[in-house]
Amino acid sequence: MRTAPVLAGCLWILCASAVPAATPDPAGAAPAIVGRALAPSPLADDLRRLTDGIGGRVSGSPAMARAVDWGVAAFKAAGVTARAETYTQKVTWAEGATRLEILGGTPFPVALVAEGWSPPTPAGGIEAELVHVGSGTAADYAAAGARLRGSIVLVDSTVTETWADLFNEYNRTGAIIERAIAAGAKAILWTSARERRLLYRHTDTVAGELASLPMAVVAREDALRLARVADAAGQPLRVRFTMPNVIGGPVEVANVVGEIRGRELPDEFVVLGAHLDSWDLGTGALDNGCNAALVIAAARAIRESGYVPRRTIRFVLFSGEEEGMLGSRAYVRQHRAELDRTRAMLAIDSGIGRITGFQVSGRTDVAATLPKALAGIAAFDASQVLMDGDLGTDNVDFLLEGVPTLVAAQDPANYMPNYHAASDTYDKVDLHLLAQHVAIAAATVYGIAELDGALAPRQSRAEIASLLERTGLAKEMKESGLWPEWESGQRGRTP
Ligand SMILES: [Zn+2]
């Protein structure tokens, strides 16, 4: 910490009024923080150790435990206090040797991977007819009729190119799965929404529970060929689907929480968060290793600037994000007593696309005061305040608790083509841009922590409910399966 200038020989009372706090001129804070963020730092080394060194880190796995140790150690090396905050994850999951064999006709090799948190197939696999159900609408299922009972269904997709495509990938699945179950199907194969046989995985779970049917993602070109063969007149296409996923749990997992205590209002909090866990086909560099490393680097830049924020800033690396934002849900439960004094939560989770501004999820009160906190990042052209929001990351449980949330709005860049895929690796990260994002994130949370008053008040349950309707988030929650969690009081602010 930089010390205040000493006025030698003055009367103590004069000194007190000339130097109101043991901190340098606040106007200098943002340039100092930005300067530290852009200076040489361990940022790239930290990211390389996380991605190449530890690799993919599914929440609840040994690799994730190593990543938590990495996070605590990296904060401490940055001179920031940090601790692991544990909670219980109900289910652990790992993929075995997933296979699809074509029985009869002209067999060909089919590349596929298990969906995350999919149950295994029974021992020996499922031998059944593969029924192509188009895009899985009610009409598609009706057309397939009685053949569906006992079958494995194959569902089409369109290639994901935009954020809207990606959200549609998630939001359409619930209804398709329900129809498959109602029709008596035994498993679902999803056509990959990426070309060139790229494989990736998701879950369709919202609270860390196992999915209700065995499901896998099939390489797009292989799935399209299977669909053509299945659609051809003549013999039904019989296959054997073997997916010996390994299910375990419950297990203790952890969020990593770093902290810089506020100088005037230490019991008020601003949270900067990114998830540390990832899928395991690649090494989780874009999603979300680069932004986990960013959170640590932001803490380092603020500490090294010598400025101490008025309010406490928490730097949180969440676990369990990919399974339904389990880590951020655990954080709000464990810190519920502080939520009245949690002034904002900023989440970053869209890889290395250039930050253009911040989504405030319909909070007009946040939009009105946020520009003041963004004064320090004017040079980055990253200060747009966007009223929209969605349900894609760790801000959601804070939003459902009425805490003002910001999500970094980012260009798509190379996010979608590598999303959850084997190709999500260190080499995809633009390290120069990442350092700029460290500067933007650090100066933004510092700016919020430094505001004269709160960014915006915490909302009541009634205000949150109205916000969800007004923004369309309620509809999205119903499609994705999150709505019952909110409605039943499992998640979100209670009345
Ligand atoms: Zn992510």
Side-chain angles (χ1 to χ4, degrees):
M1 176 176 148
R2 212 152 77 192
T3 51
V6 176
L7 303 182
C10 68
L11 292 170
W12 73 268
I13 196 156
L14 265 178
C15 286
S17 60
V19 188
T23 292
D25 171 17
I33 292 165
V34 167
R36 292 313 307 170
L38 300 180
S41 85
L43 174 63
D45 279 346
D46 282 351
L47 179 59
R48 201 164 49 234
R49 282 188 291 113
L50 178 65
T51 54
D52 290 346
I54 294 172
R57 40 202 182 277
V58 174
S59 201
S61 69
M64 183 64 200
R66 289 194 287 278
V68 167
D69 293 343
W70 166 92
V72 172
F75 274 122
K76 287 186 176 165
V80 175
T81 57
R83 59 186 178 269
E85 294 187 353
T86 57
Y87 64 97
T88 301
Q89 183 180 301
K90 278 182 281 186
V91 174
T92 64
W93 182 93
E95 183 171 26
T98 304
R99 284 174 63 195
L100 188 78
E101 297 159 81
I102 298 169
L103 308 172
T106 307
F108 59 91
V110 176
L112 78 171
V113 289
E115 282 249 317
W117 263 245
S118 165
T121 53
I126 300 170
E127 196 179 311
E129 182 183 355
L130 184 76
V131 178
H132 176 219
V133 291
S135 52
T137 63
D140 290 329
Y141 274 94
R147 290 164 64 211
L148 288 168
R149 184 148 301 278
S151 74
I152 297 170
V153 299
L154 173 65
V155 184
D156 291 346
S157 68
T158 52
V159 174
T160 287
E161 281 165 358
T162 65
W163 292 117
D165 295 339
L166 186 59
F167 279 98
N168 180 52
E169 252 191 87
Y170 281 99
N171 292 340
R172 73 182 195 131
T173 54
I176 296 173
I177 295 167
E178 278 173 28
R179 289 179 196 123
I181 293 169
K186 287 189 172 165
I188 300 178
L189 300 179
W190 302 95
T191 301
S192 167
R194 318 285 185 280
E195 294 179 299
R196 297 180 184 81
R197 299 187 94 216
L198 190 67
L199 290 167
Y200 58 90
R201 60 169 131 257
H202 298 336
T203 62
D204 296 300
T205 168
V206 294
E209 73 282 14
L210 277 189
S212 33
L213 276 184
M215 297 190 281
V217 178
V218 179
R220 183 170 191 81
E221 289 77 5
D222 297 346
L224 296 176
R225 184 173 173 188
L226 283 169
R228 288 190 296 270
V229 174
D231 288 346
Q235 289 287 339
L237 172 60
R238 292 198 67 80
V239 296
R240 185 183 300 119
F241 175 36
T242 315
M243 189 169 65
N245 297 336
V246 182
I247 311 300
V251 68
E252 198 167 79
V253 294
N255 297 321
V256 181
V257 181
E259 184 174 287
I260 295 178
R261 262 180 87 73
R263 67 175 194 278
E264 283 178 24
L265 300 167
D267 295 329
E268 295 189 17
F269 303 92
V270 176
V271 176
L272 172 62
H275 70 87
L276 178 57
D277 65 301
S278 76
W279 289 114
D280 54 344
L281 298 169
T283 63
L286 294 173
D287 188 11
N288 193 27
C290 64
N291 294 315
L294 169 152
V295 168
I296 293 165
R300 182 191 299 114
I302 292 171
R303 196 199 63 78
E304 289 182 352
S305 75
Y307 285 85
V308 177
R310 175 175 288 162
R311 297 175 178 81
T312 294
I313 303 178
R314 288 254 175 85
F315 302 87
V316 187
L317 308 179
F318 296 107
S319 55
E321 193 269 351
E322 299 291 4
E323 291 74 37
M325 301 166 291
L326 308 180
S328 40
R329 183 185 67 173
Y331 180 95
V332 299
R333 285 178 178 179
Q334 290 170 339
H335 294 270
R336 200 156 258 155
E338 296 166 354
L339 295 182
D340 277 342
R341 291 173 279 114
T342 300
R343 298 305 177 206
M345 189 276 182
L346 166 56
I348 306 193
D349 187 13
S350 301
I352 195 59
R354 194 178 74 80
I355 296 179
T356 55
F358 300 93
Q359 297 182 332
V360 298
S361 303
R363 291 282 305 253
T364 47
D365 50 357
V366 175
T369 47
L370 184 58
K372 254 185 264 172
L374 300 181
I377 61 162
F380 291 100
D381 192 19
S383 301
Q384 281 185 65
V385 178
L386 303 151
M387 293 311 295
D388 53 337
D390 45 50
L391 300 174
T393 191
D394 288 306
N395 73 308
V396 169
D397 280 273
F398 290 83
L399 182 149
L400 295 178
E401 289 283 352
V403 173
T405 73
L406 318 179
V407 177
Q410 298 181 248
D411 288 340
N414 57 359
Y415 191 71
M416 241 59 80
N418 301 297
Y419 181 73
H420 290 184
S423 57
D424 182 1
T425 47
Y426 179 86
D427 47 285
K428 305 299 185 303
V429 179
D430 177 340
L431 294 164
H432 180 73
L433 191 53
L434 184 59
Q436 288 186 29
H437 287 181
V438 171
I440 291 167
T444 298
V445 289
Y446 190 95
I448 296 169
E450 204 58 26
L451 286 173
D452 288 335
L455 179 66
R458 185 180 179 197
Q459 289 184 318
S460 66
R461 185 171 173 97
E463 288 168 330
I464 301 161
S466 144
L467 180 86
L468 295 176
E469 291 298 335
R470 205 171 62 243
T471 53
L473 289 173
K475 179 173 172 283
E476 225 183 288
M477 287 168 73
K478 286 169 191 166
E479 287 170 350
S480 70
L482 199 57
W483 187 255
E485 296 252 309
W486 155 257
E487 222 178 12
S488 66
Q490 288 289 303
R491 287 178 115 137
R493 187 163 194 184
T494 44

